[in-house]
Amino acid sequence: AQSVTQLDSHVSVSEGTPVLLRCNYSSSYSPSLFWYVQHPNKGLQLLLKYTSAATLVKGINGFEAEFKKSETSFHLTKPSAHMSDAAEYFCVVSGFSGGYNKLIFGAGTRLAVHP
Amino acid sequence: SQTIHQWPATLVQPVGSPLSLECTVEGTSNPNLYWYRQAAGRGLQLLFYSVGIGQISSEVPQNLSASRPQDRQFILSSKKLLLSDSGFYLCAWSGQGVNSPLHFGNGTRLTVT
């Protein structure tokens, strides 16, 4: 069975400082992993995905994530936070079951960015 | 490029009234289609998914139903809304591949009064 745990429900940073959003996963086989961002009252936007190629994945808006199999982690980082990064972020693990992509969503991490 | 349209953006309905939310995808064929619900302060719950026309699978028992009358059209319905049906409803599509990510619409905020 697959699962995903986002270790922080809320993260607060100052503008211009680094961002770290933590995610651990559990999977019985090599997973596909994703990070999504959701701004208030909007749909989810794909930030980046890991699909067993390079372990360091670069996404949109300066975000990147590193797949660490030994630690079963897929943490999301950004060197310098911008006010527009304030949103909710979801870590997602994917499995293929019954002919469709069964995505398991984490509970989300709300990122606040202060001036 | 592929786009997904979902409407309406907001909806206020009384208890016991019917519901119809529509979602269409453009720029791709034979997508997998999904309906999710996001309750306030909670994560996403998969309600229905479809791998083809007329093929609907339900993840959780509920007051809602889904239909896929055309390849790129996905409809979420209810005959009689309950207060507990309030939430943020998201439609999504993915390709057929194992590693295909989901692409979401902008959502519908449903308030049942």
mmCIF file of all heavy atoms in Angstrom, chain A residues 32 34 36 38 41-46 49 51 88 90 94-103 105-107, chain B residues 32 34 36 38 43-44 46 49 51 59 88 90 94-107 109:
data_model
loop_
_atom_site.group_PDB
_atom_site.id
_atom_site.type_symbol
_atom_site.label_atom_id
_atom_site.label_comp_id
_atom_site.label_asym_id
_atom_site.label_seq_id
_atom_site.Cartn_x
_atom_site.Cartn_y
_atom_site.Cartn_z
ATOM 1 N N SER A 32 5.954 7.013 -8.408
ATOM 2 C CA SER A 32 5.985 8.328 -9.028
ATOM 3 C C SER A 32 5.504 9.313 -7.967
ATOM 4 O O SER A 32 4.558 9.030 -7.229
ATOM 5 C CB SER A 32 5.078 8.386 -10.252
ATOM 6 O OG SER A 32 5.569 7.564 -11.279
ATOM 7 N N PHE A 34 4.761 13.573 -6.948
ATOM 8 C CA PHE A 34 4.410 14.872 -7.490
ATOM 9 C C PHE A 34 4.282 15.885 -6.343
ATOM 10 O O PHE A 34 3.980 15.521 -5.208
ATOM 11 C CB PHE A 34 3.056 14.826 -8.219
ATOM 12 C CG PHE A 34 2.930 13.734 -9.245
ATOM 13 C CD1 PHE A 34 2.518 12.462 -8.888
ATOM 14 C CD2 PHE A 34 3.214 13.982 -10.584
ATOM 15 C CE1 PHE A 34 2.393 11.450 -9.825
ATOM 16 C CE2 PHE A 34 3.083 12.974 -11.529
ATOM 17 C CZ PHE A 34 2.675 11.712 -11.149
ATOM 18 N N TYR A 36 2.048 19.482 -5.925
ATOM 19 C CA TYR A 36 1.064 20.388 -6.488
ATOM 20 C C TYR A 36 0.954 21.613 -5.583
ATOM 21 O O TYR A 36 1.153 21.522 -4.362
ATOM 22 C CB TYR A 36 -0.317 19.730 -6.567
ATOM 23 C CG TYR A 36 -0.495 18.736 -7.693
ATOM 24 C CD1 TYR A 36 -0.082 17.415 -7.552
ATOM 25 C CD2 TYR A 36 -1.081 19.110 -8.899
ATOM 26 C CE1 TYR A 36 -0.256 16.499 -8.578
ATOM 27 C CE2 TYR A 36 -1.264 18.209 -9.931
ATOM 28 C CZ TYR A 36 -0.855 16.906 -9.766
ATOM 29 O OH TYR A 36 -1.028 16.000 -10.789
ATOM 30 N N GLN A 38 -1.780 24.882 -4.610
ATOM 31 C CA GLN A 38 -3.155 25.356 -4.724
ATOM 32 C C GLN A 38 -3.270 26.733 -4.089
ATOM 33 O O GLN A 38 -3.079 26.875 -2.883
ATOM 34 C CB GLN A 38 -4.136 24.394 -4.060
ATOM 35 C CG GLN A 38 -5.594 24.797 -4.240
ATOM 36 C CD GLN A 38 -6.558 23.853 -3.552
ATOM 37 O OE1 GLN A 38 -6.238 23.248 -2.531
ATOM 38 N NE2 GLN A 38 -7.760 23.698 -4.115
ATOM 39 N N ASN A 41 -9.136 29.089 -3.466
ATOM 40 C CA ASN A 41 -10.286 28.937 -4.374
ATOM 41 C C ASN A 41 -9.876 28.664 -5.817
ATOM 42 O O ASN A 41 -10.581 29.064 -6.755
ATOM 43 C CB ASN A 41 -11.174 30.180 -4.305
ATOM 44 C CG ASN A 41 -11.855 30.304 -2.961
ATOM 45 O OD1 ASN A 41 -12.438 29.354 -2.465
ATOM 46 N ND2 ASN A 41 -11.735 31.471 -2.343
ATOM 47 N N LYS A 42 -8.761 28.011 -5.969
ATOM 48 C CA LYS A 42 -8.288 27.628 -7.299
ATOM 49 C C LYS A 42 -8.049 26.133 -7.356
ATOM 50 O O LYS A 42 -7.987 25.453 -6.327
ATOM 51 C CB LYS A 42 -6.976 28.358 -7.627
ATOM 52 C CG LYS A 42 -7.125 29.863 -7.758
ATOM 53 C CD LYS A 42 -7.948 30.236 -8.972
ATOM 54 C CE LYS A 42 -7.989 31.744 -9.168
ATOM 55 N NZ LYS A 42 -8.848 32.128 -10.326
ATOM 56 N N GLY A 43 -7.907 25.623 -8.567
ATOM 57 C CA GLY A 43 -7.543 24.229 -8.716
ATOM 58 C C GLY A 43 -6.090 24.001 -8.374
ATOM 59 O O GLY A 43 -5.353 24.920 -8.030
ATOM 60 N N LEU A 44 -5.656 22.757 -8.468
ATOM 61 C CA LEU A 44 -4.281 22.408 -8.162
ATOM 62 C C LEU A 44 -3.435 22.495 -9.425
ATOM 63 O O LEU A 44 -3.832 22.026 -10.491
ATOM 64 C CB LEU A 44 -4.198 20.990 -7.593
ATOM 65 C CG LEU A 44 -4.521 20.832 -6.114
ATOM 66 C CD1 LEU A 44 -6.009 21.010 -5.863
ATOM 67 C CD2 LEU A 44 -4.047 19.471 -5.614
ATOM 68 N N GLN A 45 -2.249 23.042 -9.263
ATOM 69 C CA GLN A 45 -1.322 23.179 -10.374
ATOM 70 C C GLN A 45 -0.109 22.299 -10.124
ATOM 71 O O GLN A 45 0.466 22.321 -9.022
ATOM 72 C CB GLN A 45 -0.889 24.642 -10.535
ATOM 73 C CG GLN A 45 0.061 24.879 -11.698
ATOM 74 C CD GLN A 45 0.549 26.314 -11.772
ATOM 75 O OE1 GLN A 45 0.477 27.064 -10.817
ATOM 76 N NE2 GLN A 45 1.046 26.706 -12.938
ATOM 77 N N LEU A 46 0.301 21.565 -11.133
ATOM 78 C CA LEU A 46 1.461 20.695 -11.000
ATOM 79 C C LEU A 46 2.729 21.529 -10.944
ATOM 80 O O LEU A 46 3.007 22.327 -11.837
ATOM 81 C CB LEU A 46 1.524 19.734 -12.184
ATOM 82 C CG LEU A 46 2.683 18.752 -12.212
ATOM 83 C CD1 LEU A 46 2.562 17.758 -11.059
ATOM 84 C CD2 LEU A 46 2.745 18.011 -13.542
ATOM 85 N N LYS A 49 7.356 16.714 -11.034
ATOM 86 C CA LYS A 49 7.097 15.290 -10.864
ATOM 87 C C LYS A 49 8.382 14.495 -10.928
ATOM 88 O O LYS A 49 9.329 14.867 -11.636
ATOM 89 C CB LYS A 49 6.114 14.789 -11.925
ATOM 90 C CG LYS A 49 6.640 14.835 -13.352
ATOM 91 C CD LYS A 49 5.622 14.241 -14.312
ATOM 92 C CE LYS A 49 6.132 14.276 -15.742
ATOM 93 N NZ LYS A 49 5.172 13.660 -16.695
ATOM 94 N N THR A 51 9.696 10.637 -11.777
ATOM 95 C CA THR A 51 9.246 9.370 -12.366
ATOM 96 C C THR A 51 10.433 8.459 -12.633
ATOM 97 O O THR A 51 10.572 7.906 -13.712
ATOM 98 C CB THR A 51 8.471 9.626 -13.660
ATOM 99 O OG1 THR A 51 9.309 10.377 -14.556
ATOM 100 C CG2 THR A 51 7.196 10.391 -13.412
ATOM 101 N N GLU A 88 -1.193 26.609 -0.606
ATOM 102 C CA GLU A 88 -1.145 25.280 -0.003
ATOM 103 C C GLU A 88 -0.452 24.337 -0.971
ATOM 104 O O GLU A 88 -0.691 24.390 -2.183
ATOM 105 C CB GLU A 88 -2.545 24.765 0.323
ATOM 106 C CG GLU A 88 -2.549 23.453 1.091
ATOM 107 C CD GLU A 88 -3.641 23.395 2.145
ATOM 108 O OE1 GLU A 88 -4.645 24.101 1.988
ATOM 109 O OE2 GLU A 88 -3.476 22.625 3.110
ATOM 110 N N PHE A 90 0.705 20.305 -1.896
ATOM 111 C CA PHE A 90 0.356 18.907 -1.690
ATOM 112 C C PHE A 90 1.426 18.004 -2.294
ATOM 113 O O PHE A 90 1.797 18.158 -3.457
ATOM 114 C CB PHE A 90 -0.991 18.573 -2.339
ATOM 115 C CG PHE A 90 -2.156 19.267 -1.700
ATOM 116 C CD1 PHE A 90 -2.612 20.484 -2.190
ATOM 117 C CD2 PHE A 90 -2.796 18.708 -0.608
ATOM 118 C CE1 PHE A 90 -3.692 21.128 -1.602
ATOM 119 C CE2 PHE A 90 -3.881 19.341 -0.019
ATOM 120 C CZ PHE A 90 -4.322 20.551 -0.508
ATOM 121 N N SER A 94 1.896 8.278 -6.565
ATOM 122 C CA SER A 94 1.035 7.693 -7.586
ATOM 123 C C SER A 94 1.201 6.189 -7.665
ATOM 124 O O SER A 94 2.304 5.674 -7.570
ATOM 125 C CB SER A 94 1.376 8.296 -8.952
ATOM 126 O OG SER A 94 0.661 7.644 -9.976
ATOM 127 N N GLY A 95 0.088 5.526 -7.826
ATOM 128 C CA GLY A 95 0.100 4.099 -8.106
ATOM 129 C C GLY A 95 -0.853 3.841 -9.237
ATOM 130 O O GLY A 95 -1.709 4.661 -9.531
ATOM 131 N N PHE A 96 -0.728 2.716 -9.861
ATOM 132 C CA PHE A 96 -1.592 2.388 -10.993
ATOM 133 C C PHE A 96 -2.449 1.208 -10.588
ATOM 134 O O PHE A 96 -1.955 0.121 -10.344
ATOM 135 C CB PHE A 96 -0.749 2.045 -12.225
ATOM 136 C CG PHE A 96 -1.467 2.244 -13.516
ATOM 137 C CD1 PHE A 96 -1.800 3.513 -13.947
ATOM 138 C CD2 PHE A 96 -1.810 1.171 -14.307
ATOM 139 C CE1 PHE A 96 -2.455 3.715 -15.150
ATOM 140 C CE2 PHE A 96 -2.465 1.359 -15.513
ATOM 141 C CZ PHE A 96 -2.789 2.627 -15.932
ATOM 142 N N SER A 97 -3.738 1.447 -10.484
ATOM 143 C CA SER A 97 -4.627 0.412 -9.966
ATOM 144 C C SER A 97 -5.939 0.439 -10.718
ATOM 145 O O SER A 97 -6.556 1.491 -10.848
ATOM 146 C CB SER A 97 -4.865 0.635 -8.471
ATOM 147 O OG SER A 97 -5.854 -0.230 -7.970
ATOM 148 N N GLY A 98 -6.363 -0.685 -11.227
ATOM 149 C CA GLY A 98 -7.660 -0.764 -11.890
ATOM 150 C C GLY A 98 -7.731 0.031 -13.168
ATOM 151 O O GLY A 98 -8.807 0.442 -13.589
ATOM 152 N N GLY A 99 -6.578 0.291 -13.803
ATOM 153 C CA GLY A 99 -6.586 0.993 -15.080
ATOM 154 C C GLY A 99 -6.519 2.491 -14.987
ATOM 155 O O GLY A 99 -6.668 3.182 -15.992
ATOM 156 N N TYR A 100 -6.303 3.032 -13.787
ATOM 157 C CA TYR A 100 -6.212 4.477 -13.687
ATOM 158 C C TYR A 100 -5.111 4.846 -12.709
ATOM 159 O O TYR A 100 -4.633 4.023 -11.928
ATOM 160 C CB TYR A 100 -7.540 5.093 -13.266
ATOM 161 C CG TYR A 100 -7.826 4.990 -11.779
ATOM 162 C CD1 TYR A 100 -7.690 6.091 -10.952
ATOM 163 C CD2 TYR A 100 -8.219 3.788 -11.217
ATOM 164 C CE1 TYR A 100 -7.950 6.001 -9.591
ATOM 165 C CE2 TYR A 100 -8.472 3.685 -9.860
ATOM 166 C CZ TYR A 100 -8.343 4.800 -9.054
ATOM 167 O OH TYR A 100 -8.596 4.707 -7.717
ATOM 168 N N ASN A 101 -4.711 6.123 -12.774
ATOM 169 C CA ASN A 101 -3.671 6.613 -11.874
ATOM 170 C C ASN A 101 -4.292 6.922 -10.526
ATOM 171 O O ASN A 101 -4.982 7.911 -10.360
ATOM 172 C CB ASN A 101 -3.042 7.883 -12.447
ATOM 173 C CG ASN A 101 -2.345 7.618 -13.757
ATOM 174 O OD1 ASN A 101 -2.276 6.486 -14.207
ATOM 175 N ND2 ASN A 101 -1.834 8.667 -14.358
ATOM 176 N N LYS A 102 -4.019 6.084 -9.550
ATOM 177 C CA LYS A 102 -4.563 6.302 -8.212
ATOM 178 C C LYS A 102 -3.578 7.174 -7.460
ATOM 179 O O LYS A 102 -2.510 6.720 -7.062
ATOM 180 C CB LYS A 102 -4.763 4.972 -7.496
ATOM 181 C CG LYS A 102 -5.458 5.105 -6.145
ATOM 182 C CD LYS A 102 -5.677 3.736 -5.537
ATOM 183 C CE LYS A 102 -6.320 3.834 -4.173
ATOM 184 N NZ LYS A 102 -7.691 4.361 -4.237
ATOM 185 N N LEU A 103 -3.919 8.417 -7.311
ATOM 186 C CA LEU A 103 -3.039 9.348 -6.614
ATOM 187 C C LEU A 103 -3.428 9.450 -5.150
ATOM 188 O O LEU A 103 -4.592 9.632 -4.824
ATOM 189 C CB LEU A 103 -3.112 10.735 -7.259
ATOM 190 C CG LEU A 103 -2.062 11.021 -8.344
ATOM 191 C CD1 LEU A 103 -2.253 10.095 -9.521
ATOM 192 C CD2 LEU A 103 -2.100 12.460 -8.761
ATOM 193 N N PHE A 105 -2.986 11.704 -1.959
ATOM 194 C CA PHE A 105 -2.604 13.068 -1.595
ATOM 195 C C PHE A 105 -2.224 13.152 -0.125
ATOM 196 O O PHE A 105 -2.868 12.539 0.740
ATOM 197 C CB PHE A 105 -3.761 14.028 -1.849
ATOM 198 C CG PHE A 105 -3.956 14.383 -3.292
ATOM 199 C CD1 PHE A 105 -4.597 13.510 -4.161
ATOM 200 C CD2 PHE A 105 -3.483 15.588 -3.789
ATOM 201 C CE1 PHE A 105 -4.768 13.830 -5.503
ATOM 202 C CE2 PHE A 105 -3.658 15.917 -5.127
ATOM 203 C CZ PHE A 105 -4.291 15.038 -5.978
ATOM 204 N N GLY A 106 -1.182 13.926 0.153
ATOM 205 C CA GLY A 106 -0.910 14.295 1.523
ATOM 206 C C GLY A 106 -1.949 15.293 2.012
ATOM 207 O O GLY A 106 -2.769 15.790 1.240
ATOM 208 N N ALA A 107 -1.897 15.571 3.310
ATOM 209 C CA ALA A 107 -2.892 16.462 3.914
ATOM 210 C C ALA A 107 -2.664 17.925 3.564
ATOM 211 O O ALA A 107 -3.535 18.760 3.811
ATOM 212 C CB ALA A 107 -2.901 16.283 5.425
ATOM 213 N N ASN B 32 -8.247 9.863 -18.860
ATOM 214 C CA ASN B 32 -8.866 9.439 -17.610
ATOM 215 C C ASN B 32 -9.432 10.692 -16.955
ATOM 216 O O ASN B 32 -8.788 11.743 -16.952
ATOM 217 C CB ASN B 32 -7.842 8.798 -16.679
ATOM 218 C CG ASN B 32 -7.397 7.432 -17.166
ATOM 219 O OD1 ASN B 32 -8.072 6.801 -17.979
ATOM 220 N ND2 ASN B 32 -6.264 6.979 -16.683
ATOM 221 N N TYR B 34 -11.565 12.495 -13.512
ATOM 222 C CA TYR B 34 -11.703 12.331 -12.065
ATOM 223 C C TYR B 34 -12.556 13.463 -11.486
ATOM 224 O O TYR B 34 -12.503 14.600 -11.953
ATOM 225 C CB TYR B 34 -10.331 12.391 -11.377
ATOM 226 C CG TYR B 34 -9.279 11.483 -11.967
ATOM 227 C CD1 TYR B 34 -8.586 11.837 -13.115
ATOM 228 C CD2 TYR B 34 -8.957 10.274 -11.351
ATOM 229 C CE1 TYR B 34 -7.608 11.013 -13.658
ATOM 230 C CE2 TYR B 34 -7.977 9.443 -11.876
ATOM 231 C CZ TYR B 34 -7.309 9.819 -13.031
ATOM 232 O OH TYR B 34 -6.349 8.996 -13.557
ATOM 233 N N TYR B 36 -12.913 15.094 -7.625
ATOM 234 C CA TYR B 36 -12.445 15.130 -6.251
ATOM 235 C C TYR B 36 -13.300 16.126 -5.462
ATOM 236 O O TYR B 36 -13.839 17.084 -6.008
ATOM 237 C CB TYR B 36 -10.982 15.608 -6.176
ATOM 238 C CG TYR B 36 -9.956 14.575 -6.535
ATOM 239 C CD1 TYR B 36 -9.587 14.351 -7.857
ATOM 240 C CD2 TYR B 36 -9.312 13.838 -5.546
ATOM 241 C CE1 TYR B 36 -8.621 13.417 -8.179
ATOM 242 C CE2 TYR B 36 -8.335 12.906 -5.859
ATOM 243 C CZ TYR B 36 -7.996 12.700 -7.173
ATOM 244 O OH TYR B 36 -7.039 11.778 -7.493
ATOM 245 N N GLN B 38 -12.944 18.563 -1.914
ATOM 246 C CA GLN B 38 -12.038 19.084 -0.896
ATOM 247 C C GLN B 38 -12.888 19.822 0.129
ATOM 248 O O GLN B 38 -13.419 20.896 -0.149
ATOM 249 C CB GLN B 38 -11.016 20.024 -1.536
ATOM 250 C CG GLN B 38 -9.933 20.487 -0.610
ATOM 251 C CD GLN B 38 -8.901 21.345 -1.341
ATOM 252 O OE1 GLN B 38 -9.219 22.038 -2.302
ATOM 253 N NE2 GLN B 38 -7.660 21.291 -0.902
ATOM 254 N N GLY B 43 -7.940 17.378 3.171
ATOM 255 C CA GLY B 43 -7.292 17.043 1.907
ATOM 256 C C GLY B 43 -8.291 16.702 0.827
ATOM 257 O O GLY B 43 -9.494 16.917 0.967
ATOM 258 N N LEU B 44 -7.794 16.162 -0.251
ATOM 259 C CA LEU B 44 -8.637 15.816 -1.390
ATOM 260 C C LEU B 44 -9.147 14.387 -1.278
ATOM 261 O O LEU B 44 -8.391 13.477 -0.955
ATOM 262 C CB LEU B 44 -7.851 15.962 -2.692
ATOM 263 C CG LEU B 44 -7.791 17.373 -3.252
ATOM 264 C CD1 LEU B 44 -6.803 18.212 -2.497
ATOM 265 C CD2 LEU B 44 -7.451 17.332 -4.726
ATOM 266 N N LEU B 46 -11.028 11.461 -3.465
ATOM 267 C CA LEU B 46 -11.452 11.022 -4.789
ATOM 268 C C LEU B 46 -12.880 10.497 -4.712
ATOM 269 O O LEU B 46 -13.183 9.603 -3.913
ATOM 270 C CB LEU B 46 -10.519 9.939 -5.321
ATOM 271 C CG LEU B 46 -10.876 9.357 -6.683
ATOM 272 C CD1 LEU B 46 -10.820 10.437 -7.766
ATOM 273 C CD2 LEU B 46 -9.939 8.207 -7.024
ATOM 274 N N TYR B 49 -13.902 8.150 -10.769
ATOM 275 C CA TYR B 49 -12.963 8.221 -11.870
ATOM 276 C C TYR B 49 -13.533 7.456 -13.046
ATOM 277 O O TYR B 49 -14.398 6.583 -12.874
ATOM 278 C CB TYR B 49 -11.584 7.690 -11.480
ATOM 279 C CG TYR B 49 -11.532 6.207 -11.186
ATOM 280 C CD1 TYR B 49 -11.234 5.292 -12.191
ATOM 281 C CD2 TYR B 49 -11.753 5.738 -9.893
ATOM 282 C CE1 TYR B 49 -11.171 3.939 -11.918
ATOM 283 C CE2 TYR B 49 -11.689 4.387 -9.618
ATOM 284 C CZ TYR B 49 -11.393 3.487 -10.627
ATOM 285 O OH TYR B 49 -11.332 2.160 -10.352
ATOM 286 N N VAL B 51 -12.318 5.751 -16.947
ATOM 287 C CA VAL B 51 -11.274 5.440 -17.920
ATOM 288 C C VAL B 51 -11.817 5.422 -19.347
ATOM 289 O O VAL B 51 -11.049 5.193 -20.281
ATOM 290 C CB VAL B 51 -10.568 4.114 -17.593
ATOM 291 C CG1 VAL B 51 -9.902 4.187 -16.226
ATOM 292 C CG2 VAL B 51 -11.554 2.955 -17.638
ATOM 293 N N GLU B 59 -15.365 5.754 -5.623
ATOM 294 C CA GLU B 59 -14.434 5.429 -4.551
ATOM 295 C C GLU B 59 -15.114 5.366 -3.194
ATOM 296 O O GLU B 59 -14.672 4.647 -2.309
ATOM 297 C CB GLU B 59 -13.310 6.476 -4.500
ATOM 298 C CG GLU B 59 -12.256 6.288 -5.564
ATOM 299 C CD GLU B 59 -11.397 5.066 -5.315
ATOM 300 O OE1 GLU B 59 -10.691 5.016 -4.305
ATOM 301 O OE2 GLU B 59 -11.435 4.134 -6.149
ATOM 302 N N PHE B 88 -15.565 22.007 -1.985
ATOM 303 C CA PHE B 88 -14.901 22.479 -3.205
ATOM 304 C C PHE B 88 -14.691 21.259 -4.091
ATOM 305 O O PHE B 88 -14.000 20.314 -3.701
ATOM 306 C CB PHE B 88 -13.580 23.144 -2.823
ATOM 307 C CG PHE B 88 -12.930 23.936 -3.923
ATOM 308 C CD1 PHE B 88 -13.639 24.893 -4.619
ATOM 309 C CD2 PHE B 88 -11.599 23.736 -4.248
ATOM 310 C CE1 PHE B 88 -13.043 25.644 -5.629
ATOM 311 C CE2 PHE B 88 -10.990 24.486 -5.258
ATOM 312 C CZ PHE B 88 -11.716 25.431 -5.941
ATOM 313 N N LEU B 90 -13.437 19.439 -7.521
ATOM 314 C CA LEU B 90 -12.406 19.583 -8.543
ATOM 315 C C LEU B 90 -12.497 18.459 -9.558
ATOM 316 O O LEU B 90 -12.561 17.290 -9.193
ATOM 317 C CB LEU B 90 -11.018 19.560 -7.894
ATOM 318 C CG LEU B 90 -10.684 20.774 -7.027
ATOM 319 C CD1 LEU B 90 -9.599 20.423 -6.025
ATOM 320 C CD2 LEU B 90 -10.209 21.922 -7.910
ATOM 321 N N SER B 94 -6.140 12.956 -16.698
ATOM 322 C CA SER B 94 -4.772 12.491 -16.874
ATOM 323 C C SER B 94 -4.692 11.688 -18.156
ATOM 324 O O SER B 94 -5.706 11.256 -18.708
ATOM 325 C CB SER B 94 -4.318 11.633 -15.690
ATOM 326 O OG SER B 94 -4.895 10.331 -15.760
ATOM 327 N N GLY B 95 -3.468 11.498 -18.628
ATOM 328 C CA GLY B 95 -3.268 10.610 -19.747
ATOM 329 C C GLY B 95 -3.382 9.167 -19.296
ATOM 330 O O GLY B 95 -3.618 8.876 -18.122
ATOM 331 N N GLN B 96 -3.201 8.260 -20.223
ATOM 332 C CA GLN B 96 -3.357 6.846 -19.914
ATOM 333 C C GLN B 96 -2.108 6.224 -19.308
ATOM 334 O O GLN B 96 -2.158 5.125 -18.788
ATOM 335 C CB GLN B 96 -3.734 6.077 -21.200
ATOM 336 C CG GLN B 96 -5.067 6.500 -21.799
ATOM 337 C CD GLN B 96 -6.243 6.013 -20.998
ATOM 338 O OE1 GLN B 96 -6.135 5.044 -20.249
ATOM 339 N NE2 GLN B 96 -7.385 6.683 -21.120
ATOM 340 N N GLY B 97 -0.986 6.908 -19.384
ATOM 341 C CA GLY B 97 0.264 6.333 -18.911
ATOM 342 C C GLY B 97 0.325 6.222 -17.398
ATOM 343 O O GLY B 97 -0.332 6.953 -16.670
ATOM 344 N N VAL B 98 1.163 5.303 -16.940
ATOM 345 C CA VAL B 98 1.288 5.046 -15.513
ATOM 346 C C VAL B 98 1.752 6.285 -14.763
ATOM 347 O O VAL B 98 1.300 6.568 -13.655
ATOM 348 C CB VAL B 98 2.278 3.887 -15.279
ATOM 349 C CG1 VAL B 98 2.585 3.728 -13.816
ATOM 350 C CG2 VAL B 98 1.737 2.600 -15.858
ATOM 351 N N ASN B 99 2.652 7.041 -15.352
ATOM 352 C CA ASN B 99 3.226 8.191 -14.659
ATOM 353 C C ASN B 99 2.584 9.512 -15.051
ATOM 354 O O ASN B 99 3.132 10.579 -14.771
ATOM 355 C CB ASN B 99 4.728 8.266 -14.939
ATOM 356 C CG ASN B 99 5.463 7.047 -14.417
ATOM 357 O OD1 ASN B 99 5.132 6.540 -13.348
ATOM 358 N ND2 ASN B 99 6.432 6.572 -15.163
ATOM 359 N N SER B 100 1.442 9.452 -15.670
ATOM 360 C CA SER B 100 0.789 10.689 -16.100
ATOM 361 C C SER B 100 0.260 11.455 -14.904
ATOM 362 O O SER B 100 -0.511 10.909 -14.109
ATOM 363 C CB SER B 100 -0.362 10.369 -17.059
ATOM 364 O OG SER B 100 0.123 9.779 -18.233
ATOM 365 N N PRO B 101 0.631 12.719 -14.767
ATOM 366 C CA PRO B 101 0.093 13.515 -13.660
ATOM 367 C C PRO B 101 -1.349 13.910 -13.929
ATOM 368 O O PRO B 101 -1.839 13.835 -15.055
ATOM 369 C CB PRO B 101 1.009 14.733 -13.640
ATOM 370 C CG PRO B 101 1.454 14.873 -15.057
ATOM 371 C CD PRO B 101 1.557 13.485 -15.605
ATOM 372 N N LEU B 102 -2.019 14.341 -12.888
ATOM 373 C CA LEU B 102 -3.362 14.882 -13.037
ATOM 374 C C LEU B 102 -3.280 16.373 -13.309
ATOM 375 O O LEU B 102 -2.425 17.081 -12.780
ATOM 376 C CB LEU B 102 -4.177 14.644 -11.750
ATOM 377 C CG LEU B 102 -5.047 13.388 -11.743
ATOM 378 C CD1 LEU B 102 -4.213 12.150 -11.835
ATOM 379 C CD2 LEU B 102 -5.960 13.376 -10.534
ATOM 380 N N HIS B 103 -4.216 16.840 -14.128
ATOM 381 C CA HIS B 103 -4.346 18.260 -14.426
ATOM 382 C C HIS B 103 -5.750 18.678 -13.990
ATOM 383 O O HIS B 103 -6.733 18.093 -14.434
ATOM 384 C CB HIS B 103 -4.140 18.513 -15.915
ATOM 385 C CG HIS B 103 -2.826 17.996 -16.414
ATOM 386 N ND1 HIS B 103 -1.659 18.723 -16.315
ATOM 387 C CD2 HIS B 103 -2.492 16.816 -16.994
ATOM 388 C CE1 HIS B 103 -0.668 18.003 -16.824
ATOM 389 N NE2 HIS B 103 -1.145 16.851 -17.233
ATOM 390 N N PHE B 104 -5.786 19.695 -13.143
ATOM 391 C CA PHE B 104 -7.037 20.060 -12.490
ATOM 392 C C PHE B 104 -7.704 21.270 -13.116
ATOM 393 O O PHE B 104 -7.039 22.186 -13.616
ATOM 394 C CB PHE B 104 -6.775 20.363 -11.012
ATOM 395 C CG PHE B 104 -6.482 19.158 -10.178
ATOM 396 C CD1 PHE B 104 -5.198 18.640 -10.115
ATOM 397 C CD2 PHE B 104 -7.494 18.538 -9.464
ATOM 398 C CE1 PHE B 104 -4.922 17.511 -9.346
ATOM 399 C CE2 PHE B 104 -7.233 17.418 -8.686
ATOM 400 C CZ PHE B 104 -5.940 16.904 -8.633
ATOM 401 N N GLY B 105 -9.042 21.283 -13.042
ATOM 402 C CA GLY B 105 -9.793 22.477 -13.347
ATOM 403 C C GLY B 105 -9.719 23.448 -12.179
ATOM 404 O O GLY B 105 -9.092 23.166 -11.154
ATOM 405 N N ASN B 106 -10.387 24.579 -12.330
ATOM 406 C CA ASN B 106 -10.336 25.611 -11.298
ATOM 407 C C ASN B 106 -11.291 25.383 -10.142
ATOM 408 O O ASN B 106 -11.280 26.139 -9.176
ATOM 409 C CB ASN B 106 -10.598 26.980 -11.912
ATOM 410 C CG ASN B 106 -9.376 27.516 -12.641
ATOM 411 O OD1 ASN B 106 -8.248 27.227 -12.265
ATOM 412 N ND2 ASN B 106 -9.595 28.282 -13.688
ATOM 413 N N GLY B 107 -12.117 24.366 -10.245
ATOM 414 C CA GLY B 107 -12.960 24.001 -9.112
ATOM 415 C C GLY B 107 -14.295 24.705 -9.075
ATOM 416 O O GLY B 107 -14.479 25.770 -9.681
ATOM 417 N N ARG B 109 -17.025 25.906 -6.055
ATOM 418 C CA ARG B 109 -17.329 26.039 -4.624
ATOM 419 C C ARG B 109 -18.828 25.866 -4.449
ATOM 420 O O ARG B 109 -19.611 26.707 -4.877
ATOM 421 C CB ARG B 109 -16.912 27.425 -4.124
ATOM 422 C CG ARG B 109 -17.333 27.746 -2.693
ATOM 423 C CD ARG B 109 -16.522 26.978 -1.682
ATOM 424 N NE ARG B 109 -15.103 27.257 -1.800
ATOM 425 C CZ ARG B 109 -14.173 26.554 -1.168
ATOM 426 N NH1 ARG B 109 -14.503 25.544 -0.402
ATOM 427 N NH2 ARG B 109 -12.901 26.876 -1.312
#
